[in-house]
């Protein structure tokens, strides 16, 4: 069975359905860096490598995304969304998950860039 984005969760972040998702579903590209961050979190929860790679800027994109099959994602808290200029933004977030019964807190300040009207994840600093 092919992996697909969890569209009910992702679709709430989009305003127009005009682009094709790598998994074949028709959805819009996120309108801002925060919406992109939220869609990427949903993709991590769903194990949707195609969406994560498609939304990663080519200059920093890895060849693959590895998922820990034992991770149970518990939630996302966006702490701050800052637009630094027309085509750059930062999103600070905390994602929580459990692995092997142990709670893990991932705190990151992510950087995003907009090219040709689309936002992409560039990189981030762990906090």
């Amino acid at each position: 069975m092919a992996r697909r984005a969890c569209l009910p969760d992702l679709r709430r972040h989009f305003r127009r359905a005009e682009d094709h998702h790598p998994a074949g579903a028709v959805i819009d590209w996120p309108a801002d860096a925060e919406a992109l961050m939220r869609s990427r979190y949903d993709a991590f929860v769903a194990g949707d490598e195609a969406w994560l790679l498609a939304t990663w800027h080519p200059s920093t994109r890895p060849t693959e995304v590895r998922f820990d099959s034992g991770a149970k994602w518990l939630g996302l808290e966006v702490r701050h969304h800052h637009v630094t200029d027309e085509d750059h933004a930062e999103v600070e977030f905390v994602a929580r998950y459990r692995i092997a019964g142990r709670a893990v807190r991932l705190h990151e300040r992510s950087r995003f860039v907009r090219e040709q009207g689309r936002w992409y994840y560039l990189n981030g600093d762990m906090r």
Side-chain angles (χ1 to χ4, degrees), residues 35-93:
L36 180 61
M37 177 62 241
R38 291 180 184 281
S39 78
R40 287 175 56 82
Y41 170 81
D42 289 343
F44 269 104
V45 172
D48 188 354
E49 180 184 40
W51 181 251
L52 291 168
L53 292 174
T55 59
W56 213 309
H57 192 268
S59 69
T60 58
R61 181 187 302 142
T63 56
E64 66 178 348
V65 177
R66 294 191 181 162
F67 299 96
D68 192 324
S69 61
K72 177 179 175 17
W73 292 93
L74 304 172
L76 173 70
E77 174 191 354
V78 174
R79 293 201 169 169
H80 187 69
H81 174 214
H82 177 69
V83 177
T84 56
D85 66 34
E86 186 176 307
D87 294 319
H88 296 88
E90 293 182 349
V91 177
E92 181 178 354
F93 70 92

